[in-house]
């Protein structure tokens, strides 16, 4: 097993399941090389190939104004959930055009919307359970908010590059989640880590940042509850392999249980005040514990 420490993140070449688990126990993100680059998806998924295989598939696409992420509205449920259905070939055409709106094929379940493409990938065999596979297809500059997920994420870059900024889950409140605000997502942060406003958010742990450019063919393991922010460097396609947390994980991964217990009381209070927004995150964490 060759492990290289580069830019504060570990890299491992084609790990065995045992090697993966040993790193996984440390509750740290790490890069995996020598796996996804050999998938047919990495070799074949040009726009021409996707149009031939799936061009008429109807897919959900998010849309928002170009200044949408420049303000605080993106952490509010009511303003974030804008999407429309269109054919994949229409979406690919939109990506190459100048529009007043930005479009992003965000969080599309591969097996549901692209069953004919599932044969082009191999399921990572590091976990003993089957993952949900989510596809992301965007252009330069498409970005996510700073947020965390309650699941294990093996993030595979299929085409193009993405810039990923990660923060370890220290004090939950230091990431300034929109707690107590109607319709808000408690696993989102109000902070843009690309240009953090330290006067407005003085406790934000900006110095803990881990930044990596994820190249085509590389995979990134993101532990549950780790904060992350993702930006497209080129037109790109990514796959997330999402694995549910099991109760043993809280005891086998360092600091996972203590991190959960730091967050949980805030999610409970938020869900009591605002039942619709944080309920899914809260339910997922509680179900894992029990």
């Amino acid at each position: 097993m060759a492990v290289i420490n580069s830019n504060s993140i570990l890299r491992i070449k084609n790990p065995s399941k045992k090697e993966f688990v040993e790193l996984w126990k440390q509750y740290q993100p790490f890069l995996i090389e020598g796996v996804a680059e050999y998938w047919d998806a990495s070799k074949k998924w040009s726009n021409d190939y996707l149009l031939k295989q799936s061009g008429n598939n109807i897919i959900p696409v998010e849309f928002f104004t170009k200044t949408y992420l420049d303000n605080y509205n993106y952490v509010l449920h009511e303003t974030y959930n804008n999407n429309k259905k269109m054919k994949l070939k229409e979406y690919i055409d939109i990506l190459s055009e100048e529009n007043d709106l930005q479009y992003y094929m965000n969080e599309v379940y591969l097996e549901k919307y692209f069953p004919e493409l599932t044969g082009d990938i191999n399921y990572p065999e590091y976990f003993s359970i089957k993952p949900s596979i989510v596809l992301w297809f965007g252009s330069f500059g498409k970005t996510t908010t700073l947020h965390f997920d309650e699941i294990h994420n093996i993030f595979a870059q299929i085409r193009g590059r993405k810039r990923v900024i990660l923060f370890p889950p220290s004090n939950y409140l230091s990431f300034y989640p929109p707690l107590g605000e109607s319709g808000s997502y408690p696993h989102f942060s109000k902070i843009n880590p690309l240009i953090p406003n330290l006067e407005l958010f003085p406790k934000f742990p900006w110095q803990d940042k881990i930044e990596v450019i994820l190249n085509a063919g590389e995979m990134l393991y993101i532990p549950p509850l780790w904060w992350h922010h993702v930006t497209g460097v080129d037109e790109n396609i990514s796959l997330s392999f999402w694995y549910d947390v099991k109760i043993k994980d809280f005891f086998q991964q360092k600091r996972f249980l203590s991190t959960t217990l730091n967050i949980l009381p805030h999610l409970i209070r938020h869900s009591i005040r605002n039942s619709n927004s944080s309920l899914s995150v809260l339910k997922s964490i509680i179900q894992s514990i029990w």
Side-chain angles (χ1 to χ4, degrees):
M1 175 177 66
V3 177
I4 305 168
N5 193 327
S6 175
N7 296 324
S8 300
I9 194 164
L10 291 172
R11 289 179 177 267
I12 183 171
K13 182 86 169 179
N14 191 18
S16 65
K17 183 175 181 177
K18 181 179 179 181
E19 291 168 337
F20 177 92
V21 169
E22 286 304 309
L23 285 179
W24 171 89
K25 288 179 179 179
Q26 302 306 309
Y27 195 48
Q28 295 282 330
F30 55 89
L31 280 165
I32 302 171
E33 300 176 335
V35 179
E37 63 189 273
Y38 297 110
W39 297 350
D40 285 345
S42 296
K43 300 173 184 177
K44 294 181 178 180
W45 282 11
S46 64
N47 285 350
D48 287 342
Y49 178 83
L50 296 176
L51 287 170
K52 182 178 179 180
Q53 299 294 321
S54 312
N56 289 315
N57 291 23
I58 304 297
I59 54 169
V61 174
E62 282 189 354
F63 65 96
F64 40 86
T65 63
K66 290 185 176 181
T67 59
Y68 182 67
L69 293 177
D70 294 341
N71 57 49
Y72 173 55
N73 286 338
Y74 64 80
V75 300
L76 299 179
H77 178 80
E78 288 87 351
T79 60
Y80 186 75
N81 191 22
N82 296 317
N83 62 72
K84 61 173 64 176
K85 297 286 184 70
M86 65 178 65
K87 292 182 178 180
L88 176 64
K89 61 184 179 183
E90 296 174 309
Y91 176 69
I92 289 177
D93 287 341
I94 286 174
L95 283 182
S96 61
E97 299 172 354
E98 279 290 328
N99 295 284
D100 292 332
L101 295 175
Q102 291 197 48
Y103 294 84
Y104 188 24
M105 203 171 92
N106 171 42
E107 201 172 310
V108 173
Y109 284 86
L110 185 72
E111 293 178 328
K112 178 178 180 180
Y113 291 97
F114 297 103
E116 65 280 356
L117 298 180
T118 57
D120 291 340
I121 63 170
N122 298 326
Y123 285 66
E125 298 181 351
Y126 307 124
F127 292 90
S128 57
I129 55 177
K130 184 179 179 181
S132 297
I133 308 173
V134 175
L135 187 146
W136 318 80
F137 185 2
S139 58
F140 164 77
K142 291 296 189 298
T143 186
T144 66
T145 63
L146 181 61
H147 70 286
F148 68 79
D149 301 307
E150 70 280 5
I151 39 76
H152 302 286
N153 185 1
I154 295 180
F155 190 79
Q157 193 64 24
I158 301 301
R159 204 177 90 191
R161 296 170 296 166
K162 279 188 170 174
R163 178 186 185 184
V164 185
I165 299 175
L166 302 129
F167 293 90
S170 50
N171 179 15
Y172 173 60
L173 295 181
S174 67
F175 289 90
Y176 297 89
L179 297 176
E181 301 184 34
S182 177
S184 60
Y185 286 118
H187 60 300
F188 280 12
S189 170
K190 299 178 185 180
I191 299 166
N192 179 352
L194 299 176
I195 45 171
N197 186 334
L198 298 181
E199 292 185 3
L200 190 59
F201 308 115
K203 296 182 180 179
F204 176 58
W206 59 270
Q207 68 278 6
D208 295 336
K209 177 177 75 171
I210 299 172
E211 184 172 340
V212 63
I213 297 296
L214 193 63
N215 297 302
E218 296 179 335
M219 300 196 302
L220 173 65
Y221 170 65
I222 305 175
L225 308 184
W226 267 69
W227 295 85
H228 53 283
H229 177 278
V230 184
T231 306
V233 178
D234 318 290
E235 184 174 298
N236 64 85
I237 297 176
S238 313
L239 293 172
S240 282
F241 294 82
W242 284 346
Y243 298 85
D244 291 335
V245 168
K246 300 302 180 184
I247 190 167
K248 63 181 178 60
D249 300 346
F250 292 98
F251 304 99
Q252 292 183 348
Q253 280 194 303
K254 294 180 179 179
R255 299 180 304 282
F256 185 18
L257 180 59
S258 61
T259 297
T260 302
L261 294 177
N262 173 258
I263 295 173
L264 202 55
H266 302 289
L267 292 186
I268 292 173
R269 286 193 291 271
H270 184 76
S271 66
I272 291 171
R273 290 192 296 262
N274 185 12
S275 60
N276 290 331
S277 62
S278 63
L279 192 57
S280 61
V281 179
L282 175 62
K283 186 184 297 183
S284 180
I285 293 176
I286 291 177
Q287 284 176 343
S288 298
I289 295 175
W290 295 106

